[in-house]
Amino acid sequence: MSLILDNANPHVYEKSNKRVFKDDELNDEIRDVIDAREVFDLIRGIKDPEHPLTLEELNVVEEDKVVVDNELNLVSIHFTPTINHCSMATLIGLTIVVKLLRCLPSRFKIDVRITEGRHATEEAINKQLNDKERVSAALENPNLLQVINQCLIGSL
Amino acid sequence: MSLKCVAVLEGHCDRVWSVAWNRKGDLMASCSSDKTIRLWTKREDVWVCETELSEGHQRTIRSVAFARFDDNYLASCSFDATTCIWDKSKGNWDCTLNLEGHENECKSVSWSASGRFLATCSRDKTVWIWERIDEEYECASVLTSHTQDVKKVLWHPKDDLLVSCGYDNTIRLYREEDDDWSCYETLDAHESTVWSIDFNKTGDKLASCSDDKTVRIWKFNGSKWSCVCTLSGYHQRSIYDISWSRCTNLIATAAGDDRICIFKEDETSEDDYRLVCKHESAHLCDVNSVEWNPVDSELLASCGDDNLVKLWRIKHS
């Protein structure tokens, strides 16, 4: 990792409140579906690779940029790099992908993309994150996996 | 037309990337991220795993191919950047050669019909042509036309003519001229990664499938290849593999929407193709590969991210 930070003084946002469970959700008799808040909770605690802050505190991930379709088994996430030439964008996206692959049932298709217009090489990064063969090869790299796991420590 | 699952082959403990039949159609190979190759055959009417090849590769095995001149040879290539040649001529499948040279992940391997050549491709953007000389393989050419990760290489069913496709959205054709291999044509109609290609029986048509969710049919008019048909709207996610049956002329596709689709050439107008079967949830996760049996015309093999290999039979309604 470079010693010069891409964005040395990022704006820090407030964390969301803890999820409030409704009566229905606490009732074991009722089968409830996975919702956007649940998926957001999985990723909001992921650490930024450079700063001792979470993706939520940096506003890289937001609840309303998480879409879950239980009928079609789709989870779609848009994330927003703090600056539009962030060199860590692919790594951040990959970390979100890994977290969701590990935590969501395998029936879900996971799409992780950059919020439209928020990165200089958005298209290239999206293509790479969407190529499961390259993601799979990347995750066989022990050094990269170690960096990703570091970011995931403590993320719920 | 419909597909009936006739066998579910369990054994791999990670995603299965590719399936391939031998020439006789009585042996099928599958390879996986679990770093093994499994060889499946029919014993007393039941499909069983005859052999597991676990020595050979250090990482994910991405694809396998039986030699087209002799069923005693199998090639496999891996994310460990190497290609293994397996030889059964002495009784057991032994890894007799390990071809090195690519800088990183090797994605596909293919034998030429003549048996003289083997091709491999990699994320390092190159395609290598290996010439087989007395059981040894010499690198005959390193082709650098692609500008990105090369996903698949495939030889023409009859001639020593090679095709490759990849992440730069293109399909490229190569031939040998004056002892030198070169790319002589580039097909660039797809809008995203071209994952796979397959020729028809005679080799005058080529089908390609892509991350742009379309299948394209290309036809050779004697001097150039041109796209004669685009099939879109049948898959909702990336199409990872395509297989053109040499027996029935049917085209099968495998995709990230867990579906297998089958297309048929229209009897009345030659360059029209229509969907004749859409099998939803063929696997529980992405379907990574499909291949028609070369002899048993109604048998199709598939594999997926659910660690399974499946065999399907066509049912005519």
Side-chain angles (χ1 to χ4, degrees), chain A residues 17-18 25 46 49 67 71 91 109 121 136 144 149 154:
Chain A
N17 295 321
K18 222 168 164 256
E25 290 172 317
I46 296 173
V67 179
E71 292 271 297
L91 178 61
K109 308 286 180 189
T121 58
S136 153
L144 181 61
N149 283 334

Side-chain angles (χ1 to χ4, degrees), chain A residues 74 106-107 109-111 124 127-128 130-134 136-138 140-141, chain B residues 15 59-60 62 105 107 149 151 167 169 193 195 211 237 256 258 286 288 305:
Chain A
L74 293 175
S106 59
R107 66 185 164 93
K109 308 286 180 189
I110 298 159
D111 289 322
K127 189 169 183 180
Q128 209 168 339
N130 175 44
D131 183 324
K132 71 166 186 178
E133 186 184 57
R134 287 170 71 131
S136 153
E140 287 183 12
N141 174 341
Chain B
R15 70 161 50 123
R59 289 181 57 186
T60 285
R62 178 62 182 89
E105 293 93 292
K107 302 290 178 74
D149 186 3
K151 299 297 193 186
Y167 197 84
N169 310 352
T193 302
W195 281 105
D211 179 55
R237 298 181 72 83
D258 311 349
D286 295 6
N288 292 326
D305 278 356

Side-chain angles (χ1 to χ4, degrees), chain B residues 70 89 103 114 170 195 243 253 313:
Chain B
D70 186 340
S89 55
E103 278 170 32
S114 66
T170 67
W195 281 105
S243 176
T253 52
R313 207 161 262 294

Side-chain angles (χ1 to χ4, degrees), chain B residues 37-149:
Chain B
I37 297 164
R38 282 176 174 261
L39 297 172
W40 310 87
T41 190
K42 207 173 182 179
R43 291 247 177 81
E44 289 158 7
D45 244 34
V46 183
W47 285 89
V48 293
C49 177
E50 178 202 65
T51 313
E52 184 193 328
L53 306 173
S54 55
E55 313 276 311
H57 291 294
Q58 314 300 317
R59 289 181 57 186
T60 285
I61 305 176
R62 178 62 182 89
S63 82
V64 275
F66 280 97
R68 290 205 243 147
F69 57 97
D70 186 340
D71 275 344
N72 280 319
Y73 296 97
L74 176 74
S76 61
C77 70
S78 160
F79 285 180
D80 69 11
T82 71
T83 301
C84 282
I85 308 291
W86 304 82
D87 179 352
K88 205 204 174 211
S89 55
K90 293 190 180 74
N92 290 321
W93 286 102
D94 292 317
C95 176
T96 52
L97 284 169
N98 202 314
L99 309 180
E100 293 176 12
H102 282 295
E103 278 170 32
N104 45 40
E105 293 93 292
C106 194
K107 302 290 178 74
S108 170
V109 58
S110 175
W111 303 79
S112 72
S114 66
R116 202 177 140 207
F117 298 107
L118 183 80
T120 57
C121 66
S122 157
R123 189 168 67 88
D124 68 11
K125 305 172 191 171
T126 65
V127 170
W128 287 47
I129 294 176
W130 307 79
E131 190 169 358
R132 182 165 167 264
I133 304 163
D134 305 328
E135 299 289 311
E136 292 288 324
Y137 290 79
E138 271 176 25
C139 176
S141 188
V142 176
L143 301 157
T144 55
S145 322
H146 280 288
T147 58
Q148 290 286 342
D149 186 3

Side-chain angles (χ1 to χ4, degrees), chain B residues 222-271:
Chain B
S223 63
K224 278 210 142 333
W225 289 85
S226 56
C227 180
V228 291
C229 180
T230 303
L231 297 159
S232 55
Y234 302 106
H235 284 291
Q236 284 167 348
R237 298 181 72 83
S238 225
I239 309 174
Y240 291 119
D241 199 17
I242 190 157
S243 176
W244 200 326
S245 172
R246 307 270 158 94
C247 306
T248 60
N249 207 27
L250 294 171
I251 297 170
T253 52
D257 56 10
D258 311 349
R259 275 181 201 151
I260 292 175
C261 286
I262 297 177
F263 301 91
K264 186 174 190 279
E265 195 172 47
D266 210 308
E267 281 108 1
T268 49
S269 66
E270 203 197 342
D271 295 331

